[in-house]
Amino acid sequence: MQRFLSAVLIGIASITLSTSALAQGSTGSDQLREFVRNSKTAEGDFVQQQLRAPKVNEPQDKGLKVVRQTQGHFVFQRPGRFVWDTQKPYEQKLIANGNQLILWDKDLNQATFRPAGQALASTPAAILFGENSLDQHFDLIDGEERLGMKWVALVPKKDPNAKKQNDLPYTKISIGMSNGLPKALELMDGLGSVVLVTLDKIQLNVNLPANRFNFTPPAGAEVLRLN
């Protein structure tokens, strides 16, 4: 699985992220903590792939198969505000404004509003951009170096007072760091499916307009409000 993910990353267009003042010798977890502390706002481009294991009637030597790929632009402002703007192959926006999580689907002409909560926490964007302190919710474990990135596993911390533990739908969360910036995110579930996100052209601490995370459905759109 890891060899295939490496091959997928190689096949994606090369990523030219800005360098930071972090020393090359810093661990991946140190780089990730520093990124979270210092990045109040940012924007850039993303490619997101949904991967799965081959079915019984498919060749088993090809590793995981790409079943869906999207790409677009992201913007975030800590804590908990972001726009995950999918532009290809369809237009769809996922918007977190601090109170609500909004999904806008242009083809369906439909906007779905729900309270920010566990639905927000399970999104790749929120894992990268939602928390001011990852250490409050995750143990950061340094892993291997691959493709010029230092990988960090995020293991949800156990809360002895919680009625349920780790409601996230992923069995493994890893972030690839290089030069102080996240370049890739791998999310694996218990069924062998993988979400792989690569980030490009990140600009840190950009000035954002006050209404950047507001969204008003266009006239005639279907609006769903979920509790």
Side-chain angles (χ1 to χ4, degrees):
M1 179 180 293
Q2 296 299 334
R3 288 195 296 271
F4 176 80
L5 288 174
S6 297
V8 170
L9 284 167
I10 291 172
I12 296 173
S14 61
I15 300 173
T16 55
L17 298 178
S18 305
T19 58
S20 74
L22 282 171
Q24 291 294 324
S26 298
T27 65
S29 58
D30 287 341
Q31 292 187 42
L32 180 56
R33 290 186 180 98
E34 192 73 12
F35 169 76
V36 171
R37 281 195 296 266
N38 293 337
S39 58
K40 305 304 180 185
T41 65
E43 63 179 321
D45 296 332
F46 71 86
V47 174
Q48 180 170 327
Q49 294 182 314
Q50 180 75 39
L51 314 174
R52 65 162 175 79
K55 296 180 180 179
V56 175
N57 60 345
E58 295 176 338
Q60 300 295 305
D61 59 347
K62 301 297 183 181
L64 297 178
K65 180 181 179 180
V66 179
V67 295
R68 183 181 300 110
Q69 177 171 305
T70 59
Q71 63 187 76
H73 190 78
F74 70 84
V75 180
F76 78 82
Q77 181 180 53
R78 298 189 196 279
R81 291 176 170 83
F82 63 79
V83 178
W84 194 255
D85 185 5
T86 299
Q87 298 166 352
K88 295 180 181 180
Y90 49 80
E91 295 185 43
Q92 191 179 78
K93 295 180 188 289
L94 185 66
I95 304 163
N97 61 16
N99 298 311
Q100 294 177 307
L101 187 66
I102 306 160
L103 176 63
W104 165 246
D105 190 307
K106 183 177 180 180
D107 291 341
L108 296 178
N109 195 28
Q110 182 184 84
T112 303
F113 292 73
R114 68 183 65 197
Q118 191 59 40
L120 170 63
S122 65
T123 64
I127 291 171
L128 278 171
F129 311 135
E131 295 289 350
N132 281 315
S133 177
L134 286 174
D135 289 288
Q136 292 181 3
H137 303 284
F138 296 97
D139 290 318
L140 306 186
I141 301 175
D142 286 296
E144 63 183 329
E145 293 189 29
R146 287 188 281 132
L147 303 172
M149 290 178 281
K150 296 183 178 181
W151 289 85
V152 185
L154 277 63
V155 180
K157 289 186 175 180
K158 294 183 178 180
D159 182 355
N161 297 318
K163 294 181 180 179
K164 293 191 295 183
Q165 296 293 337
N166 186 16
D167 285 335
L168 291 176
Y170 311 114
T171 58
K172 183 178 180 182
I173 303 170
S174 299
I175 296 176
M177 300 294 300
S178 179
N179 295 321
L181 293 173
K183 293 179 63 175
L185 174 69
E186 291 177 358
L187 305 171
M188 302 183 186
D189 67 21
L191 300 177
S193 296
V194 178
V195 174
L196 175 63
V197 181
T198 56
L199 306 178
D200 192 9
K201 300 177 183 177
I202 296 178
Q203 299 179 42
L204 296 181
N205 298 321
V206 294
N207 292 322
L208 299 174
N211 64 351
R212 185 65 178 85
F213 304 97
N214 295 343
F215 178 78
T216 301
E222 180 184 11
V223 178
L224 303 176
R225 299 188 183 277
L226 307 178
N227 295 325

